Amino acid sequence: MVSIIVPIYNAEKYLQRCLRSIQLQSYKDIEVIMIDDGSTDHSGRIMDYFAANDSRFIPIHKENGGVSSCRNIGMQIASGEYFQFVDSDDWIPADSTKNLVEAIIRDESDMVIADFKRVIRNNIITKGHIDRTGFLSRTEFASYMMQAPANFYYGVMWNKLYRAEIIRNHKLACSDELDWCEDFQLNLEYLQFVNGVSVIHEPVYYYVKRKGSLVDTQVDFMSTVRTKKRLFEYYKVLYEDLDLYEKHKLRIQAFYVEFARDTKRKTPKNSLLSKPDKMIG
């Protein structure tokens, strides 16, 4: 089973499209963990409607705590062998889950990373980074990632499939201490325990870049410094473990110090409409 985890906060305009795209997946062996993070609109009612009409949809209502708390709760109660993540204002193509599962089984890998569609108003652009297809060793994948260490293709969770066993066994979670890039940190931790990564080029996600989310709000300077410093430490641990740190340390260090030139932006703490790539892409 694939557990699809959907954090939800005030997404009534987009939520039905999101949940319907999950419901219509060609891969049927799924459970959908929907976590309403204290929405003040009709998101909770929309979520409950899907749960009432499809037993695979599991509704969770909670007080507002942010996107990390939603994802962590979802991972804690999920029963699937694999985890997939979808944000409530985006949607996925009909074969998204199927393509992810087929790749992880075929390659006996521990994670799948895929291209995605970026939606900006009426323009849809396919985005990716790795030019190969199929299985990459952890070292090969890390070498690609170091070509673009701040690229949200690597940082976000929604263009990937994860083995739940790794997350459970190593007690991995999204950080509640970071205002942004909490998913980037989880990915860096997760990669410490994988044997390899599958790469596919079939887009598995429609990511909507929307005015009014992180790109339009301010991130304070110290928050940027703190987050970059934390990610730098996770990068360093991963690349030291792979004996790649000396080779790539200048690029890793450059990723850290670039905050001085960043024009980062900040979302209100309760917003789930923010996406990390709007800060690091």
Side-chain angles (χ1 to χ4, degrees):
M1 181 189 291
V2 177
S3 296
I4 302 178
I5 297 169
V6 187
I8 299 167
Y9 179 77
N10 286 355
E12 64 179 6
K13 292 181 180 179
Y14 321 106
L15 184 56
Q16 185 170 344
R17 178 185 63 188
C18 170
L19 297 180
R20 185 66 172 157
S21 74
I22 298 172
Q23 189 176 46
L24 294 176
Q25 286 299 293
S26 59
Y27 190 88
K28 301 300 183 184
D29 193 11
I30 62 174
E31 64 174 5
V32 187
I33 312 295
M34 307 174 294
I35 308 98
D36 177 21
D37 195 42
S39 295
T40 57
D41 64 2
H42 294 297
S43 294
R45 293 176 61 183
I46 296 170
M47 187 177 82
D48 289 341
Y49 174 83
F50 275 84
N53 289 277
D54 192 327
S55 62
R56 300 174 301 170
F57 284 71
I58 302 168
I60 304 294
H61 296 271
K62 62 183 284 294
E63 293 183 359
N64 179 260
V67 64
S68 290
S69 67
C70 289
R71 286 173 175 157
N72 290 339
I73 288 172
M75 290 188 287
Q76 288 166 10
I77 69 172
S79 58
E81 183 177 355
Y82 307 108
F83 289 164
Q84 183 179 0
F85 296 85
V86 180
D87 286 351
S88 57
D89 53 342
D90 299 329
W91 76 96
I92 55 178
D95 289 333
S96 174
T97 305
K98 172 179 175 288
N99 289 334
L100 290 167
V101 172
E102 286 181 348
I104 205 168
I105 292 174
R106 178 193 65 225
D107 297 335
E108 298 182 352
S109 62
D110 289 324
M111 186 174 85
V112 185
I113 188 168
D115 291 358
F116 61 93
K117 299 282 190 178
R118 186 169 186 165
V119 182
I120 306 176
R121 293 182 293 276
N122 295 323
N123 297 318
I124 300 178
I125 306 168
T126 300
K127 304 287 284 186
H129 186 259
I130 297 175
D131 56 6
R132 288 173 55 184
T133 301
F135 182 86
L136 298 182
S137 69
R138 188 165 62 126
T139 300
E140 291 173 320
F141 180 78
S143 295
Y144 272 103
M145 187 165 65
M146 196 39 55
Q147 295 175 18
N151 191 322
F152 60 84
Y153 169 84
Y154 298 105
V156 297
M157 299 171 71
W158 37 252
N159 67 331
K160 301 173 179 67
L161 187 72
Y162 303 82
R163 284 195 184 275
E165 182 181 24
I166 292 177
I167 290 175
R168 294 178 182 129
N169 288 348
H170 298 283
K171 297 179 172 58
L172 303 182
C174 294
S175 173
D176 286 320
E177 299 175 7
L178 298 180
D179 293 325
W180 50 279
C181 288
E182 70 289 330
D183 44 3
F184 213 148
Q185 176 181 314
L186 183 137
N187 284 327
L188 290 173
E189 288 186 278
Y190 185 88
L191 287 169
Q192 297 178 36
F193 307 107
V194 307
N195 72 319
V197 177
S198 295
V199 180
I200 62 175
H201 293 295
E202 296 88 353
V204 299
Y205 200 86
Y206 285 92
Y207 156 65
V208 181
K209 184 172 182 179
R210 196 178 312 286
K211 184 177 181 181
S213 52
L214 259 174
V215 74
D216 298 309
T217 54
Q218 286 294 319
V219 161
D220 63 82
F221 180 77
M222 289 311 298
S223 172
T224 303
V225 174
R226 182 174 63 252
T227 301
K228 286 262 188 170
K229 183 176 186 297
R230 188 160 181 160
L231 293 179
F232 168 78
E233 293 300 328
Y234 281 99
Y235 262 122
K236 185 177 180 183
V237 168
L238 174 63
Y239 281 79
E240 284 180 338
D241 184 53
L242 293 168
D243 292 325
L244 293 174
Y245 181 70
E246 289 301 318
K247 178 180 179 181
H248 294 291
K249 67 179 180 181
L250 292 180
R251 192 181 291 268
I252 297 173
Q253 291 167 357
F255 163 74
Y256 174 45
V257 300
E258 275 175 2
F259 69 79
R261 299 193 299 275
D262 289 345
T263 53
K264 300 301 180 186
R265 316 226 184 241
K266 186 175 183 179
T267 183
K269 191 173 183 62
N270 63 357
S271 175
L272 296 188
L273 297 182
S274 63
K275 297 181 174 64
D277 53 297
K278 294 172 183 170
M279 295 158 291
I280 51 180

